Amino acid sequence: SKAVSGVMSPASALDELLSETDSHYIMAKDGAIVLKSRVTAMQEGGGSSESLREVVVEGVRLESGSKSETALIETPRSVSVVTAEQIALQGVDEVAAAMRYTPGVFAEYRGTDTTRQTPAIRGFINRDAHMIYRDGMRGRTSAQAHPDPDVFLLERMEIVRGPASALYGQNGPGGLIYTVTKRPTETFFADVEASAGSFSQFGGKLDFGGPIDAEGRFLYRITGLMRDGDAQVDQLKDGR
């Protein structure tokens, strides 16, 4: 609320103080002042009121911050989540490209590179450390084995900023990328896509899943893709 200045009675000062808010005051017999919202005051006084629609807030539970399913708001780390919906809206295929809007991440410092995914987190590039994890397992197994998961196969990405060696062992001080594979669904769905684009690019994707039995005790999910073509740099292929 705005500040009040000048010479005025207590009632006038309160009226001026609450004039631009949705609060209302009631002066009790003992001199105490009780603040209530105007909607509550109208309902108690029998006045008309408007029912607001129900708002349901769903929380995000992480696996990366503590290696357990912990709510994002309860995770004592700096973590950003890139969901499958965000990846689809961006229309990207690579892990680094999906993190373009993630704070603290320089996603594509090497430019277009179809050979490896090495974004910089908090200024650390992690060339020699293990950065990308898949469902809790370390992706990189040797100096020349660079994991490059296609984001179409992922349910979400959790970017953990800051040192995480206490949970994951050898790692860089900047942070890590924790990817989660798409999970089976309780209801049946099917999605088939075909694409074509610049540099002789063409490909296809399929994703379907649901319950196996009538009771829904067993679930399945099948996801696959194919892509082939050139890239914006000569002699550089982009396919899988």
Side-chain angles (χ1 to χ4, degrees):
S1 62
K2 63 181 181 180
V4 176
S5 61
V7 180
M8 59 185 72
S9 65
S12 299
L14 283 171
D15 289 335
E16 182 69 17
L17 186 66
L18 302 176
S19 61
E20 297 182 359
T21 69
D22 62 349
S23 298
H24 175 73
Y25 78 91
I26 298 176
M27 187 75 71
K29 294 181 180 180
D30 58 356
I33 298 174
V34 180
L35 290 179
K36 292 187 176 182
S37 68
R38 297 186 187 275
V39 175
T40 303
M42 291 177 61
Q43 291 175 344
E44 293 178 351
S48 61
S49 61
E50 180 181 353
S51 298
L52 301 178
R53 65 182 179 86
E54 181 182 4
V55 178
V56 179
V57 179
E58 296 182 358
V60 178
R61 306 193 72 84
L62 304 180
E63 298 178 12
S64 60
S66 61
K67 279 198 171 181
S68 63
E69 290 194 358
T70 306
L72 177 59
I73 195 173
E74 298 175 358
T75 302
R77 297 192 62 91
S78 179
V79 183
S80 295
V81 180
V82 180
T83 63
E85 291 77 10
Q86 179 179 337
I87 292 171
L89 288 173
Q90 291 182 241
V92 296
D93 298 316
E94 300 173 349
V95 168
M99 296 190 296
R100 290 170 179 168
Y101 301 99
T102 303
V105 177
F106 189 179
E108 298 169 293
Y109 78 95
R110 294 168 59 97
T112 300
D113 188 352
T114 60
T115 62
R116 66 182 66 181
Q117 300 292 315
T118 52
I121 303 179
R122 286 188 173 178
F124 293 92
I125 300 175
N126 287 12
R127 287 192 181 94
D128 301 320
H130 307 283
M131 174 182 283
I132 299 179
Y133 287 73
R134 184 74 171 268
D135 298 325
M137 302 297 292
R138 189 173 65 188
R140 185 176 179 182
T141 57
S142 68
Q144 300 302 321
H146 297 276
D148 186 14
D150 195 291
V151 293
F152 180 74
L153 308 177
L154 304 179
E155 184 174 283
R156 68 181 182 275
M157 296 164 45
E158 302 173 9
I159 294 86
V160 180
R161 289 182 291 273
S165 297
L167 289 175
Y168 294 94
Q170 181 187 5
N171 211 291
L176 60 88
I177 304 164
Y178 189 101
T179 62
V180 180
T181 305
K182 287 182 175 179
R183 301 291 195 252
T185 58
E186 296 181 354
T187 57
F188 174 79
F189 83 99
D191 182 20
V192 179
E193 303 177 18
S195 62
S198 304
F199 309 111
S200 303
Q201 282 279 347
F202 67 91
K205 302 176 181 178
L206 60 89
D207 185 12
F208 56 93
I212 297 177
D213 59 327
E215 292 78 16
R217 293 176 299 176
F218 302 98
L219 310 175
Y220 75 98
R221 183 78 174 262
I222 299 177
T223 308
L225 63 92
M226 185 279 295
R227 184 174 70 250
D228 194 16
D230 301 322
Q232 66 186 59
V233 179
D234 292 340
Q235 310 303 322
L236 185 63
K237 301 290 292 184
D238 181 18
R240 60 180 57 205

